[in-house]
Amino acid sequence: MSTAILAVDALDFAYLPGQRSAVSQVSFEILPQTVTAILGPNGAGKTTLLHLLLGLVKPKSGAIMLNEKALSAYSRRELSQWIGLVPQSESLTFEFTVLEYVLLGRAPYLGALDQPGPEDEVIARQSLKDVGIEHLEQRSVLALSGGEQQLVTLARTLTQQPKVLLLDEPTSHLDLSNRNATLRILHRLRQGGTTVIFTTHDPEAAALIADRLVLMRSGQVLHTGDMESTFTSVKLSETYGTPVEVTRFDGSWIVKSMERLA
């Protein structure tokens, strides 16, 4: 069995002292070269959990191990070479070209006063090609549509060459075509050796590409495991607090809400 690339043990975090924990006694493992969906309703603590995995906030208690080494033992530069985050939304306020913006992903490999060189540009252009937007290279980031901005942010993060890619609700603001295109990109990244972890409140998005699930509700992990054992009617109904039916048809998962509206 593969050794976990990320291991979380009894993680607890609150934003203010005395406040209810946003993440409470969370434990799970992420296997290398898999796609894991952290699935649950809004307010479940999914984004907070990603920020903990990236080291942006520090847990009140518990431990996070990255490649069998405590997350706290990594420098920010080292951590940025290991883990990249695609946030749910990002404000693009400067007049960068797409290529200039994507090159910002090379910062973890450059000195404080260094400028990206030819090798960095090769990596950035490959990232643009990987997400299918190489034709936007000289476009201003301020002139992009919302879907294009999401792909540019993904390309910038890929330019970090992270071994673990975190994405916060990567399909929540996309139409069906762009959602499926983004999920295909994540599937290809996993095939190329990247470990992918993404949060979503949409069971259908998880069903399309996830190998494994972490089901969350009210800051706690209810269930973890592979799709066959975890993506079930009983467990999804518990996660969402409403009746959910999960079936398989022709190799695909079908999810239906069984709640009757008055």
Side-chain angles (χ1 to χ4, degrees):
M1 182 175 179
S2 298
T3 302
I5 193 168
L6 266 171
V8 176
D9 182 38
L11 206 61
D12 202 281
F13 172 80
Y15 284 98
L16 294 172
Q19 193 177 62
R20 178 182 173 182
S21 293
V23 168
S24 178
Q25 293 301 299
V26 163
S27 299
F28 60 89
E29 293 186 344
I30 301 293
L31 299 180
Q33 298 181 35
T34 58
V35 176
T36 299
I38 301 175
L39 179 63
N42 294 331
K46 303 187 299 294
T47 298
T48 300
L49 180 56
L50 286 193
H51 290 172
L52 285 160
L53 295 180
L54 195 62
L56 296 179
V57 294
K58 306 298 181 186
K60 182 169 65 175
S61 60
I64 304 173
M65 303 294 290
L66 173 63
N67 198 36
E68 302 185 300
K69 176 180 171 182
L71 195 74
S72 58
Y74 290 83
S75 69
R76 172 50 55 187
R77 181 184 178 91
E78 290 172 332
L79 205 52
S80 295
Q81 293 176 6
W82 262 94
I83 304 179
L85 171 67
V86 180
Q88 187 171 160
S89 62
E90 191 165 63
S91 178
L92 305 180
T93 57
F94 295 99
E95 192 71 46
F96 289 116
T97 67
V98 166
L99 180 60
E100 289 170 338
Y101 179 74
V102 170
L103 277 167
L104 295 176
R106 296 305 296 163
Y109 303 93
L110 301 175
L113 301 177
D114 291 343
Q115 294 295 316
E119 183 177 342
D120 300 305
E121 290 193 10
V122 169
I123 294 169
R125 287 192 167 98
Q126 183 61 50
S127 296
L128 288 171
K129 185 176 181 180
D130 288 343
V131 302
I133 55 170
E134 63 269 31
H135 59 287
L136 299 178
E137 179 182 308
Q138 296 304 319
R139 182 88 61 86
S140 167
V141 294
L142 301 182
L144 302 176
S145 68
E148 288 169 340
Q149 286 187 5
Q150 185 89 352
L151 291 173
V152 168
T153 303
L154 175 56
R156 185 211 64 205
T157 308
L158 294 182
T159 301
Q160 285 179 233
Q161 298 183 308
K163 300 171 183 65
V164 179
L165 180 64
L166 309 179
L167 304 101
D168 193 11
E169 297 279 359
T171 63
S172 61
H173 302 301
L174 301 179
D175 60 31
L176 188 60
S177 176
N178 281 320
R179 182 198 73 168
N180 290 345
T182 298
L183 293 175
R184 281 194 295 270
I185 291 166
L186 300 186
H187 180 68
R188 290 200 304 270
L189 290 171
R190 192 263 287 169
Q191 289 180 318
T194 303
T195 302
V196 177
I197 306 167
F198 72 100
T199 66
T200 182
H201 61 267
D202 179 8
E204 291 185 353
L208 285 170
I209 63 163
D211 304 306
R212 301 181 63 80
L213 291 177
V214 175
L215 300 183
M216 290 191 71
R217 182 177 179 85
S218 301
Q220 296 182 312
V221 169
L222 303 182
H223 304 283
T224 67
D226 59 29
M227 291 294 291
E228 290 291 339
S229 64
T230 311
F231 201 72
T232 69
S233 301
V234 170
K235 291 177 180 178
L236 288 190
S237 296
E238 180 185 359
T239 300
Y240 287 95
T242 190
V244 176
E245 182 180 276
V246 178
T247 56
R248 292 296 296 270
F249 177 75
D250 197 25
S252 298
W253 298 97
I254 299 173
V255 184
K256 294 180 181 178
S257 172
M258 302 305 289
E259 184 177 10
R260 299 182 68 87
L261 301 179

